[in-house]
Amino acid sequence: MATLHILSNPGATASCTAAISEGDALVLIGNGVFALPGLESTVATVGILQDDAAERGISAGAVQPLAQADFVDWVVRHERSVTWR
């Protein structure tokens, strides 16, 4: 069962990445975008909300930039979601 992990707090990065399984996805929102460095190598597909990244001066780099509509699509595509705050 694929899970969407929604990371909004960079302080929860270690707990979040420890819970990720192959086939899961991870999206960085809010201040969670500051956790981007080092997450490109996780087993999950990683996305970052474009607006949140831009507001904080963060470049999406090698991860998938997401508009709000894309984020909604990711939520709908996954069977469950977990928010890490």
Side-chain angles (χ1 to χ4, degrees):
M1 183 180 309
T3 300
L4 176 62
H5 298 268
I6 304 167
L7 182 64
S8 65
N9 176 355
T13 303
S15 298
C16 175
T17 56
I20 290 175
S21 298
E22 191 169 337
D24 288 353
L26 169 63
V27 63
L28 307 174
I29 66 170
N31 285 336
V33 301
F34 291 117
L36 181 60
L39 288 179
E40 292 92 345
S41 63
T42 185
V43 296
T45 301
V46 180
I48 188 168
L49 281 184
Q50 289 174 326
D51 292 343
D52 292 347
E55 287 175 5
R56 291 159 179 84
I58 303 292
S59 171
V63 302
Q64 183 174 350
L66 303 172
Q68 290 293 330
D70 299 323
F71 175 55
V72 172
D73 288 341
W74 279 38
V75 171
V76 171
R77 278 190 298 177
H78 290 83
E79 299 162 24
R80 62 182 174 191
S81 65
V82 178
T83 301
W84 300 88
R85 305 179 209 213

